[in-house]
Amino acid sequence: MPKVIRVNMTDLSVRIEEAPAAWAGLGGRALTSTVVAAEVPPTCHPLGPNNKLVFAPGLLSGTAAGNAGRMSAGAKSPLTGTIKESNAGGTCGRMLGRLDIKAIIIEGQPASTDAWYNIRISNEGVVVEPETETVGLNNFAVLESVARRYGEDKGVITIGSAGENLMLISNISTRDPEGKLRSFGRGGLGAVMGSKRVKFITIDQDGTRPVPLVDSAAFKAANMVFTKALKDHPVSGQGLPTYGTAVLVNILHEIGGLPTRNFTSGQCEHHDMISGEHMYDTIVARGGEPTHGCSLGCVIQCSQVYNDKDGKYLTSGFEYETIWAFGADCLIDNLDLIAECDNVMDDLGVDSIETPVMFGVAMEAGILKFGDGKEVLRLLREEIGKATPLGRVLGGGTALVGKTYGVARVPVVKGQGIPAYDPRSVKGIGVTYATTTQGADHTAGYAVATNVLNVGGKVDPLSNVGQVELSRNLQIATAAIDSTGLCLFIAFPALDIAECLPATVDMLNARFGTKLTMDDVVGLGKTVLKLEHEFNLAAGIGPEQDRLPEFFELEAIAPHNVKWDMDQKELATFWNF
Amino acid sequence: MPKVIRVNMTDLSVRIEEAPAAWAGLGGRALTSTVVAAEVPPTCHPLGPNNKLVFAPGLLSGTAAGNAGRMSAGAKSPLTGTIKESNAGGTCGRMLGRLDIKAIIIEGQPASTDAWYNIRISNEGVVVEPETETVGLNNFAVLESVARRYGEDKGVITIGSAGENLMLISNISTRDPEGKLRSFGRGGLGAVMGSKRVKFITIDQDGTRPVPLVDSAAFKAANMVFTKALKDHPVSGQGLPTYGTAVLVNILHEIGGLPTRNFTSGQCEHHDMISGEHMYDTIVARGGEPTHGCSLGCVIQCSQVYNDKDGKYLTSGFEYETIWAFGADCLIDNLDLIAECDNVMDDLGVDSIETPVMFGVAMEAGILKFGDGKEVLRLLREEIGKATPLGRVLGGGTALVGKTYGVARVPVVKGQGIPAYDPRSVKGIGVTYATTTQGADHTAGYAVATNVLNVGGKVDPLSNVGQVELSRNLQIATAAIDSTGLCLFIAFPALDIAECLPATVDMLNARFGTKLTMDDVVGLGKTVLKLEHEFNLAAGIGPEQDRLPEFFELEAIAPHNVKWDMDQKELATFWNF
């Protein structure tokens, strides 16, 4: 029977339970959101004892399915006040799948803030112990310490100093197959882990066996169809493996949707210097790896290893949104500096979207100058890293910096920074930002695919027509995909190649012996969105907050001279399903 | 015809309009809230161009009515996101009454933040001019500058450095009859004025005539009845004039409702050292004035002049809530230090409730130690006063400090700090905090009167029974009183002495020739509350946010060992009227 591990940090007790039968068809986001919605009071303080931090591998985690290496973390977010799911690659999802652990639920909170703890999970059971060695250390040092103390092959889930300091930009990091970091990035979940006084969790898969499949031949056949689709699609098979997600820099610049200088223009003069093409050339010239995976079994390989001028490792998982935010939104025209920032952010354990979007507002507030990448590095290391008063302000994220400095042009929805696609010139993604249960989150319903990349058809990015429906369909599909452990990027072939999505359903059925249909999968996505929405409504986040900040309605953006002009009543129809 | 002055700060234009006929029966809060509700988009950014800052004298302003010296300021609050009314004494209300100006509405916002402006209003018209001399100066220096440049007899409405720096704890200050400061304290309205780039407004009543009365004999007769009631009631006639509002320190300590050490106890060991009785003795011993008014025509005289050890002026308008917050909530056992803090807060232009409540959370966050009044003074002067990063965090108020430092025990409702009466042991005021349209605000419906002081009957402070009805009735009455220009403290006699409230209605009728009844006044209060509530709902602040923070439900408070346990469904019945 699948297990659920509950660790109560109030009394340091552990319960290993059989997973309820009702959770059989749930994994990843579907499960984290189900637990949070059922067990966390929507109006609780996110950093208080009543919040819960839930980790759940996807339904396909641990199998040989292509790109099934994602795992979800969920809680009430201290950044947004909403329910939150954030997923990451790395090795833990696979290991939890093999351990037959459906969820780890961290509850309660020690009364004293004197001590920290680690949690170690293996086939033998669960150990909770006081932790001292890594307290105050950042992520790379934690990984080293864990490898030395418990072995190099352990899965690790950890927070850096930002999470310890309960910063709202803090994330939760996890070890990837090569000992680097992947992140549950958004929503300040690192602060939730910090509020539980858990410094790290290790997962040990020793003694486990491969995940059983009810029909292994059918699984293998479906997986072949699926991985072929991933390789055949131009985005997942060519664009992403070659240039990584930064392939989007030039594309978004071209269509005028690359928010620049804290969202005051849609194009950036020095786009060439921060483009995926430039990154590719740089990586190749320095002996890095342009094509690289975040987890075992990844077919798309959108990650990379980016070395510095001396050929020394600088960063990996160097994403478009991070490069955009520092490169265009903060006007830093030096990719090496941005890569160094990415490395430092990984080490501190801060969201590499929220953090640079915050810096755009900090620049507008006059805390530093637009384009000053060296000062960003100093602020990351010396202020955020040391939790000085200024570091704590910056560590509070985009909305908090705006409030602290009285800035009115603050790109957030529900307190979370808006990513790399201007909603005025890519209106479909604006609908997603406004309506998703997660606060501004492009991954919740990536309408850029259909607005800009012509994946899954074509909807004019500058027109409001059809955007609500587009975003709704994508958000439903995403909620389902996020529940399987599959990487969201499978959506590109899934939208264009007819046999791709049915193959994922076939894999689920072959894994569990179920008879799920495509309708069931869509139904799961709808169920997840609705329960997340109900949580938010009960938390006091109503339809009036399903909106973009006012400045998008007041300020037209170059080059199309467009404002955000979607009617709120039309937006509200999003929930008609 | 009564006039409305509109100053558009986008193009620096002025329009002097006839007041709409529909505004005839509106003044003070009824008028500021009517204008804000009608003209400010509820979802606008409070510091953006679409917010409006409205000043309105009360319906009785400028007359000889006792205690009619209050005037309202209104806007969408940057602290709470709600509609906001804040009122103050001083000389401007009276002057605007004589000038027959019903409202000053400051609209728009200069595109550039290079310049500041002053606005000067007189019988001759309105002048808007660039201001340089007082930019960066604090309130006492502004008053000096204005007196030197424009005469000592002018009414002044100004912001200190905190308002210029758009801090959420900033208030708007106004000159009192003796050249000291009174404050539109709550909700960060100083930041709204700062966002309009208005440093100060002067009012010149030269050439005006006494306010005309339709029936001056009837007015005089009613005013005599009214002022007699004010003098006859033990609270307004004896307690407040003698000890000021600080008379409440020992009373609240006795009943266990004096929040201490950031709301972790209901009693404070050193209550004697911060009591009204101690303050009275100190004032008398040093040649100060225990009994003093904030505006001409004040009968109650709850203010005082508090001198330092050398007999030099230190502060006035030294209120219970400020003394409580520093004295008990921050554990500062030195009244002189608290008085000095009060003086500095007046000078900087920060809310003397929000600021010390924030310091309680800052102490819990470890920014400074509980009880360290000297460090508070330093932080006020050197950090908040100089808008350092730490100063900006503190200047962001209670909720922002909590978010920045990850504190879960944060006493706020809708982002505004909870004042001096613990809702666990004075449950009626808890209903007011949770339900008022203003964010936590004791003055919105002062249930302490009936829960603790036995004014207007007696409702057991520890029982939930009857509290919603009590708070509702008081909130309705308060909304009406806040519209007249009368001081809220007239509520004490109004609740106990039968002829008091009818006398105020008689004064209104004698002033305007109307035939208002008590029912009309109650109707006005209801109308004001409802339109404020509608604004908040449209701003996305729904019934789920009509609640106290979670810690009041989790932590019992000494000495009664009581939690907050009012059912949310019962609270929601507040709006059934």
Side-chain angles (χ1 to χ4, degrees):
Chain A
M1 279 296 289
K3 297 182 285 287
V4 173
I5 292 174
R6 288 184 186 267
V7 182
N8 185 321
M9 294 305 298
T10 303
D11 58 11
L12 306 180
S13 65
V14 174
R15 279 185 297 158
I16 301 178
E17 302 170 344
E18 282 189 7
W23 295 3
L26 307 178
R29 175 173 172 185
L31 188 50
T32 62
S33 287
T34 294
V35 174
V36 174
E39 302 185 11
V40 175
T43 56
C44 77
H45 195 293
L47 303 181
N50 284 339
N51 201 1
K52 299 192 181 190
L53 179 60
V54 186
F55 295 98
L59 290 167
L60 292 172
S61 292
T63 71
N67 278 67
R70 308 290 292 190
M71 168 181 156
S72 292
K76 174 172 175 170
S77 162
L79 184 76
T80 64
T82 65
I83 200 167
K84 174 61 67 176
E85 184 265 358
S86 192
N87 63 70
T91 62
C92 287
R94 188 178 186 84
M95 292 180 179
L96 290 171
R98 290 177 64 109
L99 285 159
D100 209 15
I101 293 173
K102 273 194 90 78
I104 305 166
I105 304 175
I106 302 178
E107 311 177 329
Q109 186 169 68
S112 154
T113 54
D114 293 338
W116 286 91
Y117 298 89
N118 67 56
I119 299 172
R120 302 201 310 281
I121 297 171
S122 71
N123 217 3
E124 309 289 309
V126 178
V127 174
V128 182
E129 280 187 341
E131 171 66 16
T132 53
E133 181 174 319
T134 60
V135 174
L137 297 186
N138 284 317
N139 284 322
F140 290 120
V142 175
L143 290 195
E144 277 177 32
S145 170
V146 169
R148 183 169 39 75
R149 290 154 66 191
Y150 306 110
E152 294 216 335
D153 58 342
K154 300 299 174 288
V156 186
I157 296 168
T158 180
I159 53 174
S161 60
E164 282 189 39
N165 288 317
L166 307 179
M167 290 182 179
L168 303 181
I169 65 171
S170 64
N171 63 20
I172 297 175
S173 297
T174 187
R175 194 180 179 282
D176 78 7
E178 294 167 30
K180 298 297 187 299
L181 292 162
R182 302 288 152 176
S183 309
F184 305 91
R186 308 219 68 187
L189 295 185
V192 178
M193 191 155 150
S195 77
K196 308 289 185 203
R197 312 291 296 170
V198 176
K199 178 64 181 177
F200 65 80
I201 302 168
T202 61
I203 314 285
D204 181 350
Q205 66 173 2
D206 278 4
T208 61
R209 306 171 56 129
V211 168
L213 302 171
V214 171
D215 184 342
S216 97
F219 189 93
K220 202 169 172 184
N223 196 18
M224 279 185 67
V225 172
F226 176 62
T227 54
K228 182 175 184 308
L230 296 182
K231 286 176 180 163
D232 284 351
H233 194 273
V235 173
S236 55
Q238 297 162 34
L240 290 172
T242 309
Y243 301 115
T245 54
V247 67
L248 289 163
V249 171
N250 281 341
I251 296 172
L252 267 293
H253 170 81
E254 273 309 308
I255 64 111
L258 187 76
T260 299
R261 204 189 158 94
N262 193 30
F263 285 79
T264 56
S265 173
Q267 293 191 314
C268 176
E269 269 188 34
H270 59 251
H271 62 98
D272 280 342
M273 300 174 70
I274 56 170
S275 67
E277 293 83 347
H278 176 68
M279 181 164 81
Y280 176 86
D281 293 343
T282 306
I283 290 173
V284 170
R286 294 175 179 174
E289 296 174 45
T291 303
H292 182 256
C294 74
S295 55
L296 291 174
C298 172
V299 176
I300 299 176
Q301 303 265 319
C302 72
S303 183
Q304 65 295 103
V305 174
Y306 186 100
N307 292 338
D308 66 13
K309 283 173 182 159
D310 305 321
K312 219 181 100 192
Y313 173 85
L314 201 50
T315 200
S316 57
F318 193 24
E319 300 292 349
Y320 162 64
E321 287 74 16
T322 303
I323 294 169
W324 151 75
F326 279 131
D329 202 45
C330 294
L331 292 184
I332 298 168
D333 61 3
N334 182 326
L335 199 58
D336 282 349
L337 262 179
I338 300 173
E340 201 175 342
C341 291
D342 198 46
N343 178 290
V344 176
M345 291 190 297
D346 278 354
D347 198 25
L348 298 174
V350 296
D351 179 4
S352 67
I353 299 178
E354 188 65 35
T355 305
V357 172
M358 170 280 291
F359 272 114
V361 172
M363 287 170 177
E364 175 145 343
I367 297 172
L368 72 168
K369 288 195 178 129
F370 277 101
D372 192 347
K374 288 193 176 161
E375 178 64 4
V376 167
L377 268 174
R378 191 194 72 77
L379 290 166
L380 283 168
R381 287 188 177 122
E382 301 300 321
E383 308 282 350
I384 296 175
K386 295 181 178 170
T388 64
L390 177 56
R392 283 195 170 274
V393 175
L394 302 174
T398 314
L400 191 133
V401 169
K403 274 210 152 187
T404 307
Y405 283 80
V407 178
R409 188 185 293 110
V410 182
V412 296
V413 175
K414 303 182 179 76
Q416 183 165 286
I418 293 179
Y421 314 87
D422 200 287
R424 288 163 288 195
S425 28
V426 189
K427 295 200 192 283
I429 199 71
V431 174
T432 295
Y433 294 154
T435 56
T436 161
T437 56
Q438 306 286 320
D441 181 352
H442 62 295
T443 69
Y446 192 66
V448 178
T450 313
N451 275 185
V452 179
L453 305 175
N454 299 350
V455 172
K458 174 73 188 166
V459 173
D460 179 1
L462 296 174
S463 163
N464 289 327
V465 176
Q467 305 290 11
V468 169
E469 188 187 358
L470 172 65
S471 176
R472 186 195 296 124
N473 290 338
L474 290 169
Q475 289 195 49
I476 291 168
T478 301
I481 291 171
D482 285 345
S483 304
T484 58
L486 293 169
C487 164
L488 184 58
F489 289 167
I490 71 145
F492 295 113
L495 285 163
D496 280 339
I497 298 175
E499 55 272 30
C500 179
L501 215 48
T504 65
V505 181
D506 291 345
M507 286 193 287
L508 287 169
N509 286 331
R511 161 82 172 88
F512 296 105
T514 47
K515 297 194 172 171
L516 297 172
T517 64
M518 282 291 295
D519 282 353
D520 294 324
V521 174
V522 170
L524 175 66
K526 288 180 178 174
T527 301
V528 171
L529 289 189
K530 283 184 174 170
L531 69 88
E532 291 174 346
H533 190 225
E534 285 300 317
F535 181 95
N536 290 351
L537 292 174
I541 297 162
E544 302 79 8
Q545 293 176 57
D546 283 355
R547 64 164 55 239
L548 299 187
E550 188 192 27
F551 79 88
F552 288 111
E553 296 168 30
L554 302 179
E555 301 175 4
I557 198 172
H560 299 296
N561 194 34
V562 280
K563 296 181 182 177
W564 174 253
D565 55 0
M566 177 79 68
D567 186 73
Q568 278 300 120
K569 282 184 189 145
E570 188 176 349
L571 266 184
T573 65
F574 176 87
W575 288 104
N576 297 348
F577 64 85
Chain B
M1 280 294 291
K3 295 183 288 285
V4 173
I5 292 174
R6 288 182 188 268
V7 182
N8 184 322
M9 294 306 298
T10 303
D11 58 11
L12 305 180
S13 66
V14 173
R15 279 184 297 160
I16 301 178
E17 302 170 346
E18 283 189 2
W23 295 3
L26 306 178
R29 174 175 173 183
L31 189 49
T32 61
S33 287
T34 295
V35 174
V36 173
E39 301 185 12
V40 174
T43 55
C44 78
H45 196 291
L47 302 180
N50 283 340
N51 201 1
K52 299 191 180 190
L53 179 61
V54 185
F55 296 98
L59 290 166
L60 292 171
S61 292
T63 72
N67 278 66
R70 308 291 291 189
M71 167 181 157
S72 293
K76 174 171 174 169
S77 162
L79 184 74
T80 63
T82 67
I83 200 166
K84 176 60 67 176
E85 185 265 358
S86 191
N87 64 70
T91 62
C92 286
R94 189 180 186 83
M95 291 179 179
L96 290 172
R98 289 178 65 108
L99 285 158
D100 209 13
I101 293 173
K102 273 192 92 75
I104 304 166
I105 304 174
I106 303 178
E107 311 177 329
Q109 184 171 68
S112 155
T113 54
D114 293 339
W116 286 92
Y117 298 89
N118 69 54
I119 299 172
R120 303 201 310 281
I121 297 170
S122 72
N123 218 5
E124 308 289 308
V126 178
V127 174
V128 182
E129 279 187 341
E131 172 66 16
T132 54
E133 181 173 317
T134 60
V135 174
L137 297 185
N138 283 318
N139 283 323
F140 290 120
V142 174
L143 289 195
E144 277 177 32
S145 171
V146 169
R148 184 169 39 72
R149 288 152 71 189
Y150 306 110
E152 295 216 336
D153 58 342
K154 300 299 175 285
V156 186
I157 296 168
T158 180
I159 54 173
S161 59
E164 283 189 39
N165 288 317
L166 308 178
M167 288 181 181
L168 303 181
I169 65 171
S170 64
N171 64 19
I172 297 174
S173 296
T174 187
R175 192 180 181 282
D176 78 6
E178 294 167 32
K180 297 297 185 300
L181 292 164
R182 302 289 154 176
S183 308
F184 305 91
R186 309 220 67 189
L189 296 185
V192 178
M193 190 155 152
S195 78
K196 308 290 185 201
R197 313 289 298 170
V198 175
K199 178 64 181 176
F200 66 80
I201 302 168
T202 62
I203 314 285
D204 180 351
Q205 66 174 359
D206 277 6
T208 62
R209 304 174 56 132
V211 167
L213 302 170
V214 170
D215 183 342
S216 94
F219 189 93
K220 201 169 171 183
N223 196 16
M224 280 183 66
V225 172
F226 177 63
T227 54
K228 180 173 187 305
L230 296 183
K231 286 176 180 163
D232 284 351
H233 193 273
V235 174
S236 56
Q238 294 162 37
L240 290 172
T242 309
Y243 301 114
T245 53
V247 68
L248 291 163
V249 171
N250 281 341
I251 296 171
L252 268 292
H253 170 82
E254 273 309 309
I255 63 110
L258 188 75
T260 298
R261 203 189 160 93
N262 193 31
F263 286 80
T264 56
S265 173
Q267 292 192 314
C268 177
E269 269 187 35
H270 58 250
H271 62 97
D272 281 343
M273 300 174 72
I274 55 170
S275 68
E277 293 81 348
H278 177 69
M279 180 164 83
Y280 175 86
D281 293 343
T282 306
I283 290 173
V284 170
R286 294 175 181 176
E289 296 174 46
T291 303
H292 182 257
C294 75
S295 55
L296 290 174
C298 173
V299 177
I300 300 176
Q301 303 266 318
C302 72
S303 183
Q304 63 298 102
V305 174
Y306 186 101
N307 292 339
D308 66 14
K309 284 173 180 160
D310 305 322
K312 220 182 100 191
Y313 173 86
L314 201 48
T315 198
S316 56
F318 193 24
E319 301 292 348
Y320 163 64
E321 287 75 15
T322 304
I323 294 168
W324 151 75
F326 279 132
D329 202 45
C330 294
L331 292 184
I332 299 169
D333 61 3
N334 181 327
L335 200 58
D336 282 349
L337 262 180
I338 300 174
E340 201 174 343
C341 291
D342 198 47
N343 177 291
V344 176
M345 290 191 296
D346 278 356
D347 198 25
L348 298 175
V350 296
D351 178 3
S352 67
I353 299 178
E354 188 66 35
T355 304
V357 173
M358 171 279 293
F359 272 115
V361 173
M363 287 169 178
E364 174 145 346
I367 298 172
L368 72 168
K369 290 197 175 125
F370 277 101
D372 192 347
K374 288 195 175 157
E375 178 64 4
V376 167
L377 268 175
R378 191 195 72 77
L379 290 167
L380 283 169
R381 288 189 176 122
E382 300 301 320
E383 306 283 349
I384 296 175
K386 294 181 179 170
T388 64
L390 177 57
R392 282 193 172 274
V393 174
L394 303 174
T398 314
L400 192 133
V401 169
K403 275 209 151 190
T404 306
Y405 283 80
V407 178
R409 189 183 294 110
V410 182
V412 297
V413 176
K414 303 181 179 77
Q416 184 166 285
I418 293 180
Y421 314 87
D422 200 287
R424 287 163 289 195
S425 30
V426 190
K427 295 199 191 284
I429 200 71
V431 174
T432 295
Y433 294 154
T435 57
T436 161
T437 56
Q438 306 286 317
D441 181 352
H442 62 296
T443 69
Y446 192 67
V448 179
T450 313
N451 276 183
V452 179
L453 305 176
N454 299 349
V455 172
K458 174 71 188 164
V459 174
D460 178 2
L462 295 174
S463 163
N464 288 326
V465 177
Q467 304 291 9
V468 169
E469 187 186 359
L470 172 65
S471 176
R472 185 195 296 125
N473 290 339
L474 290 169
Q475 289 195 48
I476 291 168
T478 301
I481 291 171
D482 285 344
S483 306
T484 58
L486 292 169
C487 164
L488 182 59
F489 288 166
I490 72 146
F492 295 112
L495 284 164
D496 280 339
I497 298 176
E499 53 273 30
C500 179
L501 215 46
T504 67
V505 181
D506 292 344
M507 287 193 286
L508 287 169
N509 287 331
R511 161 81 172 90
F512 296 106
T514 47
K515 297 195 170 168
L516 298 172
T517 64
M518 281 292 292
D519 283 351
D520 294 324
V521 174
V522 171
L524 175 66
K526 289 180 178 176
T527 302
V528 171
L529 288 190
K530 283 183 175 173
L531 67 87
E532 291 173 345
H533 190 224
E534 286 299 317
F535 181 95
N536 290 352
L537 292 175
I541 297 161
E544 301 79 7
Q545 293 176 55
D546 284 355
R547 64 164 56 240
L548 300 187
E550 188 192 27
F551 79 86
F552 287 111
E553 297 168 30
L554 302 179
E555 301 175 2
I557 198 172
H560 299 295
N561 194 33
V562 280
K563 297 181 181 178
W564 175 252
D565 54 1
M566 176 81 68
D567 187 72
Q568 279 300 120
K569 283 185 189 141
E570 188 176 348
L571 266 183
T573 66
F574 176 87
W575 289 104
N576 296 349
F577 65 86

